[in-house]
Amino acid sequence: MSLERIRNFSIVAHIDHGKSTLADRILELTETLTGREMREQVLDSMELERERGITIKAQAVRVLWKGHQLNLIDTPGHVDFTYEVSRALQACEGALLVVDAAQGIEAQTLANAYLAIENDLEIVPVVNKIDLPQADPEGTAAQVAELVGEDPARVIRLSAKTGEGVAAALDAVVERVPPPSGDPLGPARALVFDSSYDQYRGVVAFVRMVDGKFKTRERLRAMAAGTTFEAEELGFFSPVRTPSGTLTAGEVGYVITGLKDVGSLRVGDTITSQARPASEPLPGYKDVKPTVFAGLFPTESDDYPELRDALEKLKLNDASLFYEPETSQALGFGFRCGFLGLLHMEIVRERLEREFDLDLLVTAPNVAYRVWTKGGDEVEVHNPADFPREVERVEEPVIRATTIVPKDYVGSLMELNNERRGRYHHLEYLSEERVLLVYDLPLAEIVYDYYDQLKSRTKGYASFDYDVLGFQEADLVRVDILLAGDPVDALSLIIHRSSSYARGRALVERLRQEIPRQLFDVPVQAAIGSRVIARETIKAKRKDVLAKCYGGDITRKRKLIEKQKKGKKRMKQVGIVEVPQEAFLAVLNLDTEKRG
Amino acid sequence: MSGLGGVRHLYVHLPFCASRCGYCDFVTLVGKAGRHAAYVDALLAELGLERDLLAARLETVYLGGGTPTFTEPEELRRLLASLPPAEEVTVEANPETVTPALARLLREAGVTRVSLGAQSFQPHLLRALERRAGPDDVRRAFYHLRDASFDNVSLDLIYGIPGQSSSDLDRDLEEALALGSEHLSCYELEAKAGTRFMHAHGEELARQAEAMEGYFQRVVETLVGAGYRWYETANFCRAGREARHNLGYWLGHDYVAIGIGAVSTVGKRRWRNEPSLGRYLAALRAGERPPRENESLGPAVKLQERLMLGLRLDEPVSLAAVGGAVNREALARLERLGLVTAGAGGLLLTERGRYLGDAVTAELLV
């Protein structure tokens, strides 16, 4: 199709503002799917996405509207997936910015709007849920208009639920979003903005054709990776894969590569034609860096190979997932994984447990630190166990947190941020009722229990988003937990000196409760270097024997001892102490439980 | 090992009781006075069927229950008269059943030893246990036995009773010592989850759990201090007054047991009679063995049991005999912790090791 008749756009919105419902309605209205084929949130194909009502992977679907080819790229809404959003946005020329008429602008509305502006996208502001009794379409339209610098009259009012106004939104996409620019006759260049893995057909690249054209069976080359492959199939999503034989400049579609190694075609790479290669790749995406790290260990050590395979498979569909083998004395073989944020971590964990049927132990999440050792070396530390005991200087990542709350909660929010070593930046009234509060906070403070505190202290009315600012120096210490004098590597943590005593005490106390009494006294200590900051003792058992054992009791007694023996086998050995899996779980969930 | 005709220990189960005590988990039947004769007939019939397993002259016979002394006296007499002779014949008795006449009956029937279920000497604890006897009944029964010239009497005590303070425990031990029995068995109350007893006393027991942890040690120290030998985890005796029957179990001897719910072990065979009285009587009336659950004991299991039971005693278990069941690394660790010694005579638990016997055994087993 000629470039003039193509529009590439995405829908961006704060979570729950109706993005996926709007996408569903568009598929229906454009007769891409009949009503019978429709199911809620067609584009959210992952079980987890459907269940949580969120989008994790970007999806691209082609619809036809009044003689135009519209490529809709659905994007995730959560802060953790900003990177996925930005990749998807690079494949577009415009975006529908959806705002809930009852909720107004939220933190991610701002984040997404800024992202769209940065990517030079034409923003079509949309107020959704106008059918709700508590909706304020006019007030919300005014807010959005101001945000994006648009005339309030041009804000589309619609209800994705009833379908009212959806056609107007599509018309606006055709009218306002510019057609893709690009050279249809030049050497072919396509941007890989996402990929998935098909176990029969290998890596499937989601691409935006920028210049030129691909044909099925053509030899292609990934410019950055240097990999060559044959385009086994080309096509678009409608919303299922629909082969088209060619992809031309401006179009969005997929390329089945047959590649079995996902590493040989990375998201952000440029695909060109082998026969007539482009000289320059398209500007790539910035390299995404994980911000949150945690150790993942199978609860059954026999499951290690399964965990490795599962991570490999997940990585095929999740380029942002980072992992490397980690060995813990206490937890055995596992992986240190890097995530885009806490939600990302939770999603990976849930997918591993559900889709791959694994039982996992996840260590307390931490951030990446820059450490200067006494010797003057600079190292990046992702694992508390690698944190040098003697350091010259430490820097930790800092974020700029944007929170929007009703004005009554500003006080408690500021209190929370101050407790979390936050630095006030500024405050702004968005309306008479709603306040935008900006703080700079150490990322480590967000990773530890922040979301739940935020939620409980603002009764769920706060919306939150953040950008990573960079690194800053901080007085951080490594706290080790020792059982009978032996450090438990999996429980070490890096923490600001001011909270080290409280956390150390809480951990030690919890371990004392969770570790069963042994045949000897077990001191449980928290220590910074060689200095003990908290100590408890698990007193030795005084009695563990059944009094009565006569002729009729022997079998039962033997079975009880066998059971006791089996129980011991399930425990992890830390030095001379036997620690049940549950004790690690309880300690690692300390944060979670404190929230409740 | 005993082959045909080699078994020297016989256990006879008499399940009848006047009432059921809340904590009891033995096979017992309340009342059923009319069935005592039929039951004794059945016991003798079962004995006849298993007679070939037994040696001509037994080392021990043990009548346990239930309350053996609750059995109709004539039936008890008939039973005792029909059992093969043995060097030690023990009968369990509940205090309230021991009259001078009963004591004489037992003595005349060849009983050499009586195990008296005292449990406690304090009314509030006996009530918690739902025992029928009061403290005076216990003392009276003891004297009746002495009067009938029993010189080998054992007292059963229970500790860890709901509401039992440590001074209660001391008083019970004092009372028992004052009687001067030849033998004492002291059991910690084993209350099973889900029982009526646990329902009534579970909270109280949980509250007391920590305080009661030291009771076992207290019992041992008091009785050993009074000159008793702590020869088995829960058993104490004057010199030469071990319960030979029970010692047979702990040394891994074979034993034949008759009666409902009774468990026998002969070589690698173990069987348990089903606990149903009706089916037991019917089978033996028809001249057949009663319905049983069978268990086959492989060589590894025999070794495990030998170790598990042997470690309950105050005399070493030969490492040569049980070595195959012992994890040497664990043994070294437990020796370092001062819980086990492995001397020339074999394996022996230290005093602290004996308090932790089950945990130590679990660790020692391969």
XYZ file of all heavy atoms in Angstrom, chain A residues 424-496:
601
model
N 12.915 16.575 48.408
C 11.792 17.266 47.792
C 12.253 18.014 46.544
O 13.296 18.661 46.544
C 11.216 18.244 48.819
C 10.176 19.179 48.276
C 8.847 18.776 48.162
C 10.514 20.473 47.889
C 7.890 19.638 47.670
C 9.560 21.346 47.392
C 8.245 20.921 47.277
O 7.296 21.773 46.788
N 11.506 17.916 45.486
C 11.853 18.646 44.272
C 10.846 19.765 44.023
O 11.169 20.921 44.109
C 11.922 17.694 43.086
C 12.467 18.329 41.851
N 11.666 18.947 40.931
C 13.732 18.449 41.397
C 12.409 19.426 39.946
N 13.661 19.140 40.201
N 9.612 19.405 43.739
C 8.594 20.452 43.671
C 7.184 19.877 43.768
O 6.990 18.662 43.752
C 8.745 21.307 42.412
C 8.221 20.648 41.163
N 8.955 19.773 40.427
C 7.010 20.761 40.546
C 8.238 19.362 39.387
N 7.064 19.949 39.440
N 6.253 20.817 43.917
C 4.852 20.439 44.103
C 4.018 21.343 43.211
O 4.364 22.516 43.028
C 4.512 20.644 45.579
C 3.097 20.412 46.107
C 3.190 19.965 47.551
C 2.228 21.633 45.975
N 2.928 20.789 42.665
C 2.161 21.574 41.705
C 0.703 21.142 41.808
O 0.422 19.936 41.895
C 2.732 21.209 40.324
C 2.244 22.020 39.169
C 2.877 21.475 37.863
O 4.061 21.065 37.880
O 2.148 21.423 36.872
N -0.198 22.128 41.850
C -1.624 21.799 41.871
C -2.107 21.584 40.442
O -2.038 22.498 39.620
C -2.427 22.897 42.561
C -2.525 22.671 44.045
C -1.485 23.048 44.887
C -3.646 22.040 44.594
C -1.566 22.820 46.252
C -3.734 21.809 45.962
C -2.690 22.194 46.789
O -2.776 21.949 48.124
N -2.570 20.356 40.123
C -3.088 20.080 38.777
C -4.506 20.598 38.671
O -4.985 20.969 37.619
C -3.075 18.589 38.494
C -1.700 17.922 38.400
C -1.873 16.445 38.145
C -0.867 18.562 37.294
N -5.228 20.538 39.781
C -6.572 21.091 39.872
C -6.720 21.460 41.334
O -5.767 21.340 42.106
C -7.606 20.034 39.459
O -7.649 19.005 40.423
N -7.915 21.869 41.721
C -8.091 22.261 43.106
C -7.861 21.075 44.031
O -7.437 21.225 45.165
C -9.521 22.777 43.287
C -9.575 24.121 43.970
C -10.955 24.682 43.835
O -11.826 24.247 44.618
O -11.191 25.513 42.924
N -8.185 19.894 43.518
C -8.153 18.703 44.349
C -6.856 17.910 44.236
O -6.479 17.205 45.161
C -9.319 17.757 43.954
C -10.643 18.131 44.575
C -10.551 18.234 46.089
O -10.038 17.267 46.706
O -10.947 19.283 46.659
N -6.225 17.956 43.063
C -5.146 17.005 42.808
C -3.787 17.689 42.721
O -3.631 18.721 42.090
C -5.439 16.210 41.544
C -6.567 15.202 41.806
C -7.274 14.782 40.555
N -6.349 14.320 39.548
C -5.846 13.099 39.496
N -6.181 12.219 40.400
N -5.027 12.767 38.547
N -2.835 17.026 43.383
C -1.505 17.609 43.513
C -0.466 16.693 42.877
O -0.520 15.472 43.043
C -1.164 17.814 45.003
C 0.258 18.304 45.182
C -2.160 18.769 45.639
N 0.449 17.322 42.177
C 1.571 16.593 41.612
C 2.773 16.861 42.512
O 3.116 18.017 42.751
C 1.842 17.119 40.198
C 3.106 16.592 39.539
C 2.777 15.359 38.715
C 3.729 17.654 38.646
N 3.376 15.773 43.022
C 4.487 15.932 43.945
C 5.701 15.229 43.361
O 5.599 14.070 42.945
C 4.107 15.307 45.289
C 5.103 15.471 46.431
C 5.286 16.937 46.789
C 4.608 14.703 47.653
N 6.798 15.954 43.287
C 8.000 15.365 42.694
C 9.107 15.302 43.743
O 9.395 16.290 44.415
C 8.465 16.167 41.465
C 9.708 15.520 40.852
C 7.345 16.242 40.430
N 9.672 14.108 43.907
C 10.732 13.853 44.875
C 11.851 13.099 44.187
O 11.591 12.315 43.280
C 10.210 12.949 45.998
C 9.870 13.668 47.279
C 8.664 14.346 47.408
C 10.738 13.633 48.380
C 8.335 14.979 48.599
C 10.406 14.261 49.569
C 9.201 14.938 49.684
O 8.880 15.553 50.856
N 13.067 13.301 44.653
C 14.153 12.417 44.228
C 14.387 11.421 45.356
O 14.474 11.801 46.523
C 15.432 13.235 43.972
C 15.265 14.150 42.768
O 14.279 13.940 42.009
O 16.072 15.074 42.587
N 14.440 10.156 44.975
C 14.544 9.091 45.984
C 15.575 8.058 45.533
O 15.702 7.786 44.338
C 13.212 8.357 46.107
C 12.056 9.006 46.855
C 10.745 8.491 46.297
C 12.151 8.695 48.341
N 16.263 7.448 46.498
C 17.114 6.322 46.117
C 16.225 5.186 45.593
O 15.198 4.887 46.201
C 17.778 5.906 47.434
C 17.595 7.067 48.355
C 16.343 7.754 47.920
N 16.618 4.579 44.504
C 15.810 3.489 43.947
C 15.661 2.357 44.952
O 14.622 1.692 45.029
C 16.454 2.982 42.648
C 15.745 1.807 41.971
C 14.328 2.180 41.550
C 16.533 1.336 40.750
N 16.705 2.130 45.750
C 16.656 1.036 46.715
C 15.467 1.185 47.662
O 14.913 0.207 48.131
C 17.953 0.989 47.525
N 15.075 2.425 47.933
C 13.955 2.651 48.830
C 12.620 2.298 48.177
O 11.669 1.936 48.844
C 13.937 4.114 49.301
C 15.165 4.513 50.109
C 15.190 3.881 51.507
O 14.130 3.403 51.960
O 16.268 3.865 52.123
N 12.571 2.410 46.873
C 11.359 2.046 46.142
C 11.236 0.534 46.104
O 10.163 -0.044 46.239
C 11.420 2.577 44.684
C 11.678 4.072 44.654
C 10.165 2.203 43.909
C 10.579 4.899 45.227
N 12.383 -0.097 45.927
C 12.413 -1.555 45.807
C 11.981 -2.205 47.119
O 11.412 -3.281 47.141
C 13.852 -1.992 45.410
C 14.065 -3.451 45.673
C 14.103 -1.649 43.959
N 12.257 -1.527 48.220
C 11.896 -2.099 49.507
C 10.542 -1.567 49.940
O 10.443 -0.492 50.511
C 12.988 -1.782 50.542
C 12.679 -2.299 51.925
C 12.569 -3.665 52.162
C 12.480 -1.431 52.986
C 12.273 -4.152 53.413
C 12.188 -1.914 54.247
C 12.084 -3.271 54.459
O 11.791 -3.750 55.700
N 9.470 -2.293 49.593
C 8.190 -2.066 50.252
C 7.539 -0.712 49.961
O 6.606 -0.314 50.637
C 8.468 -2.227 51.774
C 7.241 -2.098 52.636
O 6.186 -2.504 52.140
O 7.342 -1.603 53.761
N 8.020 0.039 48.967
C 7.511 1.393 48.782
C 6.084 1.418 48.233
O 5.222 2.131 48.728
C 8.447 2.186 47.864
C 8.059 3.638 47.706
C 8.499 4.592 48.605
C 7.252 4.056 46.647
C 8.139 5.937 48.467
C 6.886 5.387 46.507
C 7.337 6.324 47.417
O 6.980 7.641 47.279
N 5.852 0.587 47.197
C 4.530 0.631 46.559
C 3.416 0.349 47.540
O 2.360 0.968 47.510
C 4.444 -0.385 45.408
C 5.287 -0.019 44.215
C 5.928 -0.999 43.477
C 5.426 1.304 43.821
C 6.710 -0.678 42.378
C 6.200 1.641 42.728
C 6.842 0.652 42.006
O 7.607 0.966 40.936
N 3.668 -0.621 48.400
C 2.605 -0.992 49.324
C 2.386 0.074 50.379
O 1.259 0.334 50.786
C 2.930 -2.338 49.950
C 2.938 -3.414 48.898
O 1.852 -3.917 48.582
O 4.015 -3.691 48.345
N 3.478 0.699 50.805
C 3.355 1.805 51.748
C 2.595 2.959 51.099
O 1.713 3.553 51.708
C 4.745 2.285 52.181
C 5.403 1.371 53.182
C 4.636 1.340 54.493
O 4.075 2.338 54.911
N 4.595 0.178 55.117
N 2.961 3.213 49.854
C 2.306 4.304 49.125
C 0.806 4.048 49.034
O -0.015 4.910 49.301
C 2.915 4.398 47.721
C 2.323 5.444 46.784
C 2.639 6.847 47.283
C 2.854 5.270 45.361
N 0.506 2.801 48.687
C -0.886 2.438 48.518
C -1.644 2.573 49.831
O -2.735 3.133 49.874
C -0.948 0.981 48.045
C -2.160 0.644 47.241
C -1.922 -0.700 46.606
C -3.208 -1.318 46.136
N -2.959 -2.658 45.588
N -1.057 2.064 50.914
C -1.811 2.092 52.156
C -1.883 3.506 52.727
O -2.885 3.886 53.302
C -1.232 1.088 53.160
O -0.052 1.609 53.721
N -0.833 4.294 52.539
C -0.879 5.624 53.146
C -1.721 6.623 52.345
O -2.042 7.689 52.836
C 0.531 6.188 53.289
C 1.356 5.352 54.257
C 2.520 6.138 54.745
N 3.512 5.247 55.305
C 4.593 5.678 55.951
N 4.792 6.971 56.081
N 5.456 4.830 56.445
N -2.032 6.287 51.100
C -2.857 7.205 50.312
C -4.170 6.533 49.944
O -4.863 6.957 49.039
C -2.131 7.632 49.017
O -1.894 6.459 48.235
C -0.804 8.309 49.310
N -4.472 5.471 50.625
C -5.706 4.696 50.417
C -5.877 4.298 48.958
O -7.002 4.193 48.459
C -6.923 5.494 50.876
C -6.846 5.889 52.342
C -8.169 5.663 53.050
C -8.029 5.540 54.543
N -7.398 6.697 55.188
N -4.784 4.123 48.258
C -4.861 3.670 46.874
C -5.108 4.784 45.875
O -5.234 4.540 44.687
N -5.167 6.058 46.327
C -5.480 7.153 45.414
C -4.265 7.725 44.679
O -4.415 8.579 43.822
C -6.191 8.290 46.149
C -7.639 7.984 46.435
C -8.101 7.832 47.735
C -8.542 7.841 45.381
C -9.427 7.543 47.993
C -9.871 7.550 45.633
C -10.310 7.395 46.938
O -11.617 7.113 47.175
N -3.066 7.258 45.075
C -1.878 7.843 44.448
C -1.565 7.143 43.136
O -1.776 5.950 42.989
C -0.686 7.708 45.387
N -1.075 7.907 42.153
C -0.494 7.249 40.994
C 0.962 7.677 40.933
O 1.314 8.785 41.327
C -1.251 7.595 39.714
O -1.075 8.945 39.402
N 1.783 6.758 40.487
C 3.211 6.897 40.693
C 3.967 6.561 39.424
O 3.600 5.652 38.694
C 3.606 5.920 41.810
C 5.081 5.879 42.106
C 5.645 6.763 43.018
C 5.897 4.949 41.494
C 6.998 6.710 43.309
C 7.252 4.894 41.779
C 7.800 5.786 42.686
N 5.016 7.291 39.160
C 5.878 6.973 38.038
C 7.273 7.503 38.342
O 7.423 8.374 39.197
C 5.348 7.614 36.757
C 5.960 6.952 35.541
O 5.633 5.784 35.291
O 6.780 7.602 34.866
N 8.268 6.953 37.688
C 9.598 7.490 37.961
C 10.523 7.383 36.761
O 10.290 6.609 35.841
C 10.238 6.806 39.176
C 10.619 5.354 38.987
C 11.785 5.005 38.301
C 9.841 4.342 39.529
C 12.147 3.674 38.160
C 10.195 3.010 39.387
C 11.357 2.680 38.697
O 11.706 1.373 38.542
N 11.582 8.192 36.805
C 12.673 8.132 35.831
C 13.946 7.938 36.604
O 14.117 8.523 37.670
C 12.813 9.484 35.111
C 11.763 9.647 34.058
O 11.544 8.689 33.306
O 11.152 10.739 34.013
N 14.851 7.167 36.044
C 16.142 7.018 36.703
C 16.978 8.253 36.385
O 17.109 8.649 35.236
C 16.845 5.740 36.232
C 18.232 5.644 36.853
C 16.012 4.515 36.594
N 17.496 8.917 37.435
C 18.280 10.137 37.240
C 19.754 9.830 37.057
O 20.445 10.481 36.295
C 18.146 11.049 38.461
C 16.817 11.762 38.680
C 16.930 12.636 39.915
C 16.463 12.606 37.460
N 20.246 8.874 37.844
C 21.682 8.577 37.808
C 22.101 8.044 39.157
O 21.278 7.495 39.882
N 23.380 8.231 39.465
C 23.896 7.683 40.710
C 24.278 8.795 41.673
O 24.638 9.890 41.256
C 25.124 6.813 40.420
C 24.758 5.457 39.908
C 24.352 5.265 38.587
C 24.800 4.352 40.760
C 24.000 4.009 38.125
C 24.452 3.091 40.300
C 24.059 2.921 38.985
N 24.195 8.520 42.962
C 24.700 9.478 43.945
C 25.311 8.742 45.123
O 24.933 7.604 45.438
C 23.593 10.434 44.389
C 22.692 9.867 45.449
C 21.595 10.830 45.877
O 21.354 11.867 45.259
N 20.905 10.471 46.937
N 26.233 9.396 45.761
C 26.935 8.757 46.858
C 26.001 8.570 48.049
O 25.113 9.384 48.281
C 28.141 9.614 47.263
C 29.077 8.873 48.172
C 30.370 9.640 48.425
O 30.681 10.559 47.638
O 31.058 9.301 49.399
N 26.187 7.501 48.786
C 25.358 7.256 49.964
C 26.146 6.439 50.975
O 27.071 5.711 50.624
C 24.088 6.505 49.566
N 25.744 6.570 52.244
C 26.419 5.849 53.318
C 25.771 4.471 53.443
O 24.873 4.249 54.253
C 26.275 6.639 54.620
C 27.081 6.018 55.749
O 27.877 5.092 55.473
O 26.908 6.458 56.904
N 26.230 3.563 52.618
C 25.614 2.246 52.573
C 26.526 1.217 53.212
O 27.748 1.312 53.116
C 25.344 1.844 51.123
C 24.386 2.772 50.377
C 24.369 2.428 48.905
C 22.990 2.679 50.965
N 25.899 0.255 53.832
C 26.684 -0.805 54.460
C 26.126 -2.162 54.049
O 24.974 -2.279 53.654
C 26.647 -0.709 55.999
C 27.422 0.509 56.470
C 25.214 -0.697 56.514
N 26.990 -3.152 54.151
C 26.536 -4.507 53.886
C 26.259 -5.183 55.222
O 27.112 -5.201 56.103
C 27.633 -5.269 53.149
C 27.430 -6.782 53.172
C 28.491 -7.447 52.343
N 28.481 -8.873 52.557
C 29.236 -9.709 51.882
N 30.051 -9.270 50.954
N 29.172 -11.001 52.133
N 25.041 -5.678 55.374
C 24.687 -6.398 56.595
C 24.682 -7.883 56.267
O 24.028 -8.315 55.322
C 23.297 -5.959 57.118
C 22.884 -6.805 58.314
C 23.320 -4.487 57.494
N 25.461 -8.652 57.040
C 25.472 -10.102 56.868
C 24.691 -10.747 57.993
O 24.661 -10.243 59.107
C 26.913 -10.627 56.906
C 27.703 -10.201 55.686
O 27.146 -10.287 54.577
O 28.866 -9.782 55.844
N 24.068 -11.859 57.658
C 23.364 -12.628 58.674
C 24.187 -13.894 58.915
O 24.577 -14.573 57.967
C 21.945 -13.003 58.197
C 21.143 -11.741 57.858
C 21.234 -13.855 59.234
C 20.848 -10.836 59.030
N 24.467 -14.169 60.178
C 25.285 -15.342 60.493
C 24.506 -16.316 61.360
O 23.822 -15.915 62.302
C 26.555 -14.925 61.240
C 27.525 -14.014 60.477
C 27.244 -12.557 60.785
C 28.954 -14.342 60.824
N 24.628 -17.587 61.009
C 24.034 -18.645 61.822
C 25.176 -19.449 62.413
O 25.994 -19.988 61.667
C 23.185 -19.583 60.967
C 21.843 -19.059 60.485
C 21.138 -20.140 59.673
C 20.986 -18.663 61.674
N 25.231 -19.517 63.721
C 26.304 -20.215 64.407
C 27.653 -19.774 63.833
O 28.558 -20.575 63.650
C 26.130 -21.731 64.294
N 27.752 -18.500 63.522
C 29.021 -17.945 63.071
C 29.250 -18.016 61.570
O 30.171 -17.393 61.058
N 28.410 -18.771 60.853
C 28.588 -18.875 59.400
C 27.654 -17.919 58.680
O 26.449 -17.938 58.931
C 28.292 -20.302 58.919
C 29.378 -21.262 59.332
O 30.562 -20.898 59.201
O 29.045 -22.364 59.814
N 28.181 -17.091 57.757
C 27.298 -16.168 57.046
C 26.345 -16.914 56.103
O 26.723 -17.908 55.491
C 28.266 -15.292 56.244
C 29.550 -16.026 56.212
C 29.584 -16.960 57.378
N 25.117 -16.441 56.042
C 24.133 -17.010 55.121
C 24.139 -16.092 53.911
O 23.539 -15.019 53.935
C 22.734 -17.026 55.748
C 21.778 -17.818 54.874
C 22.778 -17.588 57.148
N 24.845 -16.506 52.871
C 25.065 -15.598 51.746
C 23.777 -15.029 51.164
O 23.693 -13.849 50.851
C 25.936 -16.244 50.664
C 25.425 -17.619 50.242
O 24.322 -18.003 50.678
O 26.116 -18.297 49.472
N 22.754 -15.876 51.088
C 21.517 -15.447 50.427
C 20.787 -14.362 51.210
O 19.879 -13.730 50.692
C 20.591 -16.636 50.228
N 21.158 -14.146 52.460
C 20.418 -13.175 53.266
C 21.176 -11.860 53.467
O 20.679 -10.957 54.128
C 20.069 -13.781 54.631
C 19.161 -15.019 54.604
C 18.844 -15.478 56.014
C 17.866 -14.742 53.857
N 22.370 -11.748 52.903
C 23.109 -10.491 53.033
C 22.334 -9.385 52.340
O 21.642 -9.639 51.354
C 24.479 -10.610 52.364
O 25.292 -11.479 53.110
N 22.453 -8.169 52.858
C 21.789 -7.070 52.172
C 22.607 -5.804 52.282
O 23.442 -5.665 53.166
C 20.374 -6.868 52.688
C 20.130 -6.847 54.187
C 19.948 -5.431 54.652
C 18.884 -7.634 54.492
N 22.355 -4.925 51.329
C 23.028 -3.635 51.330
C 21.980 -2.613 51.718
O 20.877 -2.605 51.176
C 23.608 -3.320 49.940
C 24.625 -4.393 49.570
C 24.246 -1.939 49.928
C 24.959 -4.417 48.101
N 22.333 -1.776 52.648
C 21.302 -0.923 53.221
C 21.941 0.356 53.742
O 23.131 0.375 54.047
C 20.578 -1.714 54.337
C 19.358 -0.970 54.835
C 21.507 -2.053 55.490
C 18.456 -1.849 55.664
N 21.141 1.402 53.830
C 21.663 2.648 54.374
C 21.954 2.452 55.857
O 21.196 1.802 56.563
C 20.655 3.784 54.187
C 21.255 5.137 54.427
N 21.096 5.825 55.594
C 22.068 5.887 53.635
C 21.765 6.969 55.525
N 22.360 7.028 54.342
